[in-house]
């Protein structure tokens, strides 16, 4: 239901590998909701929608006396909304279901194996074949190939004529294959993509080392640690053990500080298995954090600030080291150390902060453009951008976790004048929304969410999968759960000006030990 379709490959690998299996159907195709005006007054009948009225999808509990039991939005369990707008999970389903699949044969030699999974159709009769080469999301080469003469169930190797190229330092290269309709069909027009796959090439050159800037200056009081460098001031609150302020060219980038975060707003599947009851200890695990110590050390080319927090609600320690360079780059290294490892699985393991009003543009290098999760990430790695407001999928009939992006190389938020870049070391799970986690957990319909202009930014090591075996008790598959054990991760923050290119800033390599 809703944000779902997690780990469908677990089933379809079996179907593809075992000839005696067939299937599998998804329950359900479409959300069964009723469009209603947002200002409706009567609950005992369906209201007519007038032209221009703002609407929402009504479901169980939206009609009749408020005290009458209902199945809530249980009939809204489709892959598309009631008016057939695809849910993000449909992209995953389509990629799994596609009747042409590719896999690497010899990527160094640009050879791809193609298999025709149709039962009665030779793909040369229906498809055209295309390829393209990308580097960090930018198209570098493209071309067409003769569609192979592949009978149903047959496979062959294709040699893709990629022209030789010299890898640029720090750039990732991907080869994409695309199969499109050769002519119009009753269900789609000529050129409609019916299958795609993408493969990371082995071609690579080491990322360039970051230029060594003059070390920032360090100043301390009983309450604060202040680190000052080129165009920036980073202020740490000793009493809270946090990076409380980051000003770049006089502009504040932090509305509320980075803090440990372990909770996500429940999805329909989470609600169905009563995750609040089984995993609810993590919702407030960051609250009441006690500062054990905060230290600052001047290094050769950086200042290292380490804050160690005790999390009494879960009996754990969270230690964060901020290595601040004179360039404004800040390497954040976080370590989670629980004393109790038999606690429930963790919904999310990472850090959350908010940015002030105006940071509305997001750009990222990673899978997209739709949301992705640890167990649902069949998406092309590319360079994507959009408005923060557009990252929330409002057609989920009941709000919850939405808009996540996994395997992110880097993400940047900007107000058009300055921005904040977050670079995975090596990868991040990122979410940027105008809604808090509590907002998403408290509203029954998207239009009831508070209108906020701050940007809530999650920079996580991992978030648990969305699952989808059923929506009334099944957990995500074990490999997509987060055990309560010692874990750590790192990422780099970098404020930047509109005149600076976040792609180039993200590509350089930093050594935290300098």
């Amino acid at each position: 239901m809703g944000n779902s379709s997690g780990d469908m490959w677990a089933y379809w690998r079996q179907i593809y590998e075992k000839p005696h299996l067939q299937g599998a159907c998804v329950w359900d195709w479409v959300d069964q909701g009723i469009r209603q005006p947002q200002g409706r007054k009567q609950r005992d009948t369906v209201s007519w929608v007038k032209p221009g009225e703002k609407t929402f999808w009504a479901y169980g509990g939206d009609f009749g006396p408020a005290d009458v039991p209902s199945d809530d939005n249980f009939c809204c369990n489709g892959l598309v909304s009631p008016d057939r707008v695809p849910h993000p999970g449909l992209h995953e389903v389509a990629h799994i279901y596609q009747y042409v699949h590719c896999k690497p044969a010899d990527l160094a030699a640009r050879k791809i194996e193609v298999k025709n999974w149709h039962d009665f159709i030779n793909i040369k009769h229906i498809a055209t074949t295309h390829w393209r080469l990308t580097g960090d999301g930018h198209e570098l080469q493209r071309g067409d190939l003769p569609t192979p003469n592949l009978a149903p169930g047959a496979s062959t190797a294709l040699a893709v004529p990629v022209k030789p190229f010299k890898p640029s330092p720090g750039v990732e290269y991907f080869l994409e294959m695309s199969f499109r309709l050769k002519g119009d069909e009753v269900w789609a027009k000529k050129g409609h993509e019916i299958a795609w796959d993408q493969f990371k090439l082995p071609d690579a050159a080491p990322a360039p080392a970051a230029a060594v800037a003059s070390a920032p200056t360090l100043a301390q009081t009983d309450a604060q640690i202040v680190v000052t460098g080129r165009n920036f001031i980073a202020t740490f609150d000793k009493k809270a053990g946090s990076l409380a302020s980051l000003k770049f060219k006089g502009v504040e980038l932090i509305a509320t500080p980075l803090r440990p975060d372990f909770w996500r707003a429940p999805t329909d599947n989470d609600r169905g298995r009563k995750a609040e009851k089984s995993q609810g200890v993590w919702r407030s695990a960051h609250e009441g954090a006690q500062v054990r110590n905060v230290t600052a050390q001047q290094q050769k080319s950086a200042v290292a600030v380490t804050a160690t927090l005790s999390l009494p609600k879960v009996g754990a320690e969270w230690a964060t080291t901020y290595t601040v360079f004179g360039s404004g780059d800040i390497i954040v290294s976080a370590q989670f150390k629980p004393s109790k490892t038999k606690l429930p699985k963790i919904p999310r393991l990472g850090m959350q902060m908010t940015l002030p009003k105006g940071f509305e543009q997001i750009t990222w290098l990673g899978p997209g453009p739709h949301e992705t999760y640890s167990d649902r990430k069949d998406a092309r790695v590319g360079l994507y951008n959009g408005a923060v407001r557009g990252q929330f999928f409002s057609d989920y009939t009941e709000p919850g976790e939405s808009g996540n992006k996994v395997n992110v190389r880097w993400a940047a938020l900007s107000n058009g004048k300055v921005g904040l870049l977050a670079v995975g070391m090596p990868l991040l799970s990122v979410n940027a929304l105008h809604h808090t986690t509590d907002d998403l957990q408290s509203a029954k319909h998207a239009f009831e969410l508070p209108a906020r202009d701050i940007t809530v930014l999650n920079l996580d090591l991992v978030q648990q999968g969305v699952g989808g075996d059923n929506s009334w008790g099944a957990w995500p598959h074990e490999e997509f759960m987060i055990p309560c054990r010692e874990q750590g991760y790192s990422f780099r923050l970098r404020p930047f000006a509109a005149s600076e290119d976040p792609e180039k800033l993200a590509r350089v390599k930093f050594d935290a030990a300098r």
Side-chain angles (χ1 to χ4, degrees):
M1 289 181 62
N3 191 351
S4 187
S5 306
D7 201 20
M8 275 189 61
W9 273 113
Y11 296 93
W12 275 85
R13 275 192 296 269
Q14 303 300 314
I15 293 167
Y16 282 128
E17 292 171 3
K18 295 178 170 57
H20 56 276
L21 287 180
Q22 67 177 14
C25 297
V26 174
W27 176 32
D28 203 347
W29 166 242
V30 59
D31 288 345
Q32 297 167 60
I34 301 174
R35 190 188 295 277
Q36 289 288 273
Q38 292 180 9
R40 65 196 286 261
K41 303 297 183 183
Q42 294 179 316
R43 294 176 53 91
D44 59 349
T45 185
V46 174
S47 302
W48 290 103
V49 176
K50 298 176 182 178
E53 277 191 301
K54 293 183 178 180
T55 62
F56 73 102
W57 296 120
Y59 50 77
D62 288 324
F63 300 95
D67 59 347
V68 172
S70 77
D71 281 335
D72 205 56
N73 69 335
F74 192 75
C75 285
C76 297
N77 52 7
L79 293 169
V80 298
S81 67
D83 59 351
R84 276 53 176 177
V85 172
H87 287 190
L90 183 57
H91 294 283
E92 182 92 359
V93 176
H95 189 242
I96 293 171
Y97 280 6
Q98 66 187 30
Y99 279 89
V100 181
H101 281 285
C102 301
K103 64 181 181 180
D106 184 346
L107 290 177
R110 318 313 191 207
K111 290 184 178 180
I112 302 294
E113 182 180 310
V114 181
K115 181 163 184 176
N116 177 15
W117 284 94
H118 285 95
D119 292 313
F120 305 103
I121 300 173
N122 188 315
I123 65 169
K124 80 170 186 176
H125 296 149
I126 63 163
T128 58
T129 305
H130 313 270
W131 64 270
R132 73 175 193 144
L133 171 72
T134 62
D136 276 3
H138 296 282
E139 183 179 293
L140 304 176
Q141 298 181 34
R142 68 160 53 230
D144 304 325
L145 287 170
T147 299
N149 182 11
L150 277 183
S155 59
T156 191
L158 286 183
V160 183
V162 177
K163 296 177 182 177
F165 64 93
K166 182 179 179 181
S168 297
V171 174
E172 284 184 289
Y173 295 93
F174 286 86
L175 178 62
E176 295 179 10
M177 301 297 298
S178 176
F179 298 85
R180 303 168 196 166
L181 282 180
K182 194 173 185 177
D184 290 349
E185 299 287 345
V186 294
W187 48 274
K189 297 294 185 182
K190 176 182 177 180
H192 175 76
E193 186 174 69
I194 57 174
W196 69 272
D197 280 299
Q198 184 189 58
F199 307 99
K200 183 176 178 179
L201 295 178
D203 310 67
V212 179
S214 299
T217 60
L218 169 63
Q220 295 193 63
T221 66
D222 290 341
Q224 293 183 330
I225 296 170
V226 180
V227 182
T228 305
R230 187 179 63 202
N231 294 323
F232 79 90
I233 302 173
T235 303
F236 297 85
D237 184 336
K238 286 185 173 181
K239 294 183 178 179
S242 65
L243 174 59
S245 170
L246 179 58
K247 290 184 177 180
F248 179 68
K249 294 192 171 185
V251 179
E252 180 61 70
L253 302 179
I254 296 177
T256 59
L258 270 172
R259 62 160 177 83
D261 194 28
F262 305 95
W263 186 249
R264 74 174 182 201
T267 63
D268 284 338
N269 292 340
D270 292 336
R271 286 186 281 264
R273 62 181 176 83
K274 297 179 173 55
E276 179 83 31
K277 182 177 180 180
S278 58
Q279 295 176 282
V281 64
W282 297 107
R283 182 176 182 180
S284 59
H286 65 283
E287 296 176 358
Q290 300 169 356
V291 179
R292 288 187 177 177
N293 60 69
V294 179
T295 62
Q297 181 183 10
Q298 182 78 58
Q299 299 178 342
K300 182 179 178 181
S301 58
V303 171
V305 178
T306 299
T308 304
L309 306 178
S310 173
L311 306 176
K313 290 193 173 184
V314 290
E317 176 184 287
W318 185 278
T320 310
T321 297
Y322 304 86
T323 305
V324 186
F325 293 87
S327 59
D329 292 276
I330 304 174
I331 294 179
V332 182
S333 297
Q335 197 72 21
F336 172 65
K337 299 179 180 180
S339 61
K340 304 173 183 178
T341 57
K342 293 184 178 180
L343 289 176
K345 297 292 198 299
I346 308 171
R348 151 185 267 150
L349 186 62
M351 301 187 79
Q352 184 185 94
M353 63 180 289
T354 63
L355 283 74
K357 176 183 178 180
F359 288 84
E360 176 60 24
Q361 292 301 312
I362 181 171
T363 304
W364 76 96
L365 178 61
H370 49 274
E371 65 184 25
T372 51
Y373 290 85
S374 58
D375 60 352
R376 197 190 76 211
K377 53 186 177 184
D378 283 17
R380 289 175 170 95
V381 173
L383 185 63
Y384 302 100
N385 63 78
V388 170
R389 198 162 301 281
Q391 306 312 303
F392 172 68
F393 187 71
S394 59
D395 270 313
Y396 291 139
T397 54
E398 187 168 349
E401 164 61 35
S402 174
N404 198 68
K405 308 166 201 325
V406 300
N407 294 348
V408 172
R409 280 66 172 168
W410 60 265
L413 288 160
S414 170
N415 67 2
K417 296 179 180 179
V418 298
L420 182 64
L421 170 69
V423 184
M425 300 178 73
L427 300 173
L428 283 172
S429 179
V430 175
N431 202 329
L433 299 173
H434 285 317
H435 307 296
T436 69
T437 306
D438 284 343
D439 287 344
L440 295 170
Q441 187 158 348
S442 301
K444 296 295 289 181
H445 305 91
F447 78 92
E448 297 169 339
L449 290 166
R452 300 190 189 278
D453 51 22
I454 59 168
T455 295
V456 180
L457 177 63
N458 269 88
L459 301 171
D460 301 326
L461 170 64
V462 65
Q463 185 187 142
Q464 72 182 12
V466 293
D469 290 2
N470 64 46
S471 55
W472 55 86
W475 288 58
H477 294 170
E478 184 65 26
E479 59 266 42
F480 302 107
M481 301 298 291
I482 308 171
C484 181
R485 66 186 182 202
E486 183 172 342
Q487 302 180 65
Y489 75 120
S490 298
F491 56 91
R492 173 164 59 94
L493 297 177
R494 170 65 147 87
F496 65 91
S499 59
E500 296 180 288
D501 184 354
E503 288 188 62
K504 292 181 180 179
L505 296 175
R507 203 168 287 152
V508 298
K509 183 179 180 181
F510 268 80
D511 179 5
R514 289 192 304 182

